[in-house]
Amino acid sequence: MDMNNIQEILEYNKSFVENKEYEKYTAGKFPTKKMAIITCMDTRLVEMLPKAMNLKNGDVKIIKNAGAIISQPFGSVMRSVLVAIYELGADEVLVVGHTECGMASLHAETMIGHMVERGVSEEVMSTLENSGIRLNKWLRGFDSVEEGVKHTVEVIKKHPLLPPGVPVHGMVIDSYTGELDLVAEGYEQ
């Protein structure tokens, strides 16, 4: 393992703190725009998404995962959405997928092959399969980013713990230009 990345981060952080650069990011824990956003962990969106949406530190709660997908209604992503709503003051939810998402081309069989190549044993794979864990289903992506966003919007809207009247929207952001396309309007509920 190469420790250069960690060392570089720690060296930069020391300067960041000493020069009080954190002061320009001071914000409260409650989102001022009262919104939770679920988006992809894609590296192109780290700065692009907030800039394209005119978001500043403290404006929204941003929840990131692979593909902006809620694959399990009672998993950690949905729990984070519910915490944002019930405990942190969010009263809207926005799902933002993006063009050229890797989850659109994810093939479970290929990824499982990579796992085995990197040392996960066939015995582990067999044990998981025999325990009822269907890796082919769990690791699947989606055929269309728009459909992936709409599916996640529906999972949230139909969740039994979502309070009535919470708008859930869906958008797709262009990974290069930042242009947003509304694919699910949450105010029409």
Side-chain angles (χ1 to χ4, degrees), residues 14-94:
K14 185 174 180 164
S15 170
F16 178 87
V17 173
E18 285 173 357
N19 295 326
K20 297 186 179 188
E21 292 180 49
Y22 55 84
E23 290 177 347
K24 61 185 167 190
Y25 302 106
T26 301
K29 71 177 185 176
F30 299 101
T32 57
K33 294 194 180 209
K34 298 184 182 275
M35 181 178 280
I37 296 175
I38 301 164
T39 192
C40 187
M41 64 185 194
D42 190 280
T43 56
R44 296 169 289 185
L45 301 182
V46 171
E47 291 187 54
M48 171 82 82
L49 183 122
K51 298 279 191 225
M53 299 177 85
N54 192 32
L55 300 175
K56 294 169 200 58
N57 209 41
D59 282 350
V60 299
K61 293 294 180 185
I62 298 181
I63 304 156
K64 292 186 169 208
N65 73 358
I69 297 171
I70 293 182
S71 57
Q72 299 176 9
F74 286 91
S76 63
V77 176
M78 191 64 209
R79 180 181 60 220
S80 295
V81 170
L82 294 172
V83 167
I85 291 169
Y86 285 107
E87 300 299 320
L88 301 172
D91 57 19
E92 282 186 83
V93 180
L94 173 58

Side-chain angles (χ1 to χ4, degrees), residues 87-182:
E87 300 299 320
L88 301 172
D91 57 19
E92 282 186 83
V93 180
L94 173 58
V95 178
V96 184
H98 67 96
T99 58
E100 298 182 5
C101 184
M103 290 300 287
S105 61
L106 181 72
H107 300 288
E109 298 80 20
T110 304
M111 189 167 170
I112 291 167
H114 292 152
M115 291 174 178
V116 172
E117 287 170 11
R118 296 209 36 198
V120 177
S121 72
E122 293 288 349
E123 181 183 10
V124 166
M125 294 300 192
S126 177
T127 300
L128 291 173
E129 192 69 26
N130 292 326
S131 299
I133 297 169
R134 304 292 174 248
L135 290 178
N136 281 331
K137 184 177 178 188
W138 185 60
L139 295 173
R140 75 170 181 252
F142 43 76
D143 294 328
S144 143
V145 174
E146 291 80 6
E147 290 307 311
V149 168
K150 288 177 185 178
H151 171 75
T152 295
V153 166
E154 286 304 309
V155 169
I156 298 167
K157 283 172 49 174
K158 292 177 179 175
H159 200 280
L161 298 177
L162 186 77
V166 171
V168 183
H169 316 280
M171 293 183 181
V172 174
I173 187 170
D174 185 292
S175 300
Y176 294 102
T177 68
E179 181 179 3
L180 293 164
D181 180 26
L182 184 65

